[in-house]
Amino acid sequence: VLAPFPSDDGVPSVAQLDAAVSPNTKALLLASPHNPCGRVFTEDELRRCVDWTRDRGLQLVVDEVFALSVFPGVDFCSALDVLDASQSNDHVHVVYSAAKDLALSGYRVGAILTRNSAIFDCVSAVGAFCAASTPAQALVAQLCADDAWLEDVWIPALRERLPARGAA
């Protein structure tokens, strides 16, 4: 059951989360940057969500498929950046895809980053039956390994186009 959070800025407060949680709640799902509005969770907001879910024994799934696609002047912070190494973080799972940021939607290449061995084992087992093609994996690996191209060419061009798309 999805529980909406009415909020002026798109970020639920702890009180709103507490009011919506039930014994049946299993996870908190976030999208940062959010599609279609482009709202990016701040470091403090992400840290509160990580702590809130940890304190309640819930999973936190953060969709970061638009991580590189932020508007100019907006800083992206990954949920992975706010994890406290002295705490258990096996409840945090980040989903990423080459489809959005690298404009490779037909390639079906993505990743889940988790320290939870049960989740990892399940995803690995399923992945054996629905993996992206070897050429697609090789292409994405090559693109992601080229830091100079990503940082100097692709990401600036992507971010330059975003304001025009947002106005459309």
Side-chain angles (χ1 to χ4, degrees):
V1 176
L2 296 177
F5 297 103
S7 172
D8 291 337
D9 63 1
V11 179
S13 68
V14 169
Q16 288 173 312
L17 291 171
D18 283 337
V21 73
S22 78
N24 295 324
T25 303
K26 305 295 183 218
L28 174 62
L29 308 175
L30 303 176
S32 182
H34 184 272
N35 181 21
C37 69
R39 171 69 160 83
V40 177
F41 281 75
T42 67
E43 185 176 333
D44 288 339
E45 292 163 345
L46 286 169
R47 190 173 287 110
R48 277 197 311 263
C49 290
V50 168
D51 293 343
W52 185 86
T53 51
R54 181 188 302 112
D55 293 345
R56 286 151 186 83
L58 301 173
Q59 303 298 302
L60 175 62
V61 180
V62 185
D63 175 343
E64 296 184 357
V65 301
F66 287 101
L68 301 177
S69 302
V70 295
F71 289 104
V74 175
D75 292 325
F76 173 77
C77 179
S78 172
L80 300 173
D81 295 331
V82 303
L83 300 180
D84 181 346
S86 69
Q87 300 278 337
S88 171
N89 295 305
D90 66 349
H91 69 293
V92 179
H93 321 287
V94 173
V95 178
Y96 185 76
S97 169
K100 305 302 182 184
D101 286 337
L102 297 177
L104 297 173
S105 58
Y107 284 69
R108 308 280 190 229
V109 177
I112 181 167
L113 293 88
T114 183
R115 292 184 182 203
N116 185 309
S117 60
I119 298 290
F120 182 82
D121 290 345
C122 288
V123 171
S124 295
V126 172
F129 299 103
C130 60
S133 70
T134 301
Q137 291 179 47
L139 174 67
V140 172
Q142 186 175 6
L143 289 173
C144 291
D146 190 345
D147 290 338
W149 177 78
L150 280 171
E151 293 173 13
D152 299 336
V153 178
W154 182 254
I155 295 172
L158 176 67
R159 291 184 177 165
E160 183 178 302
R161 291 189 300 263
L162 282 173
R165 294 243 181 229

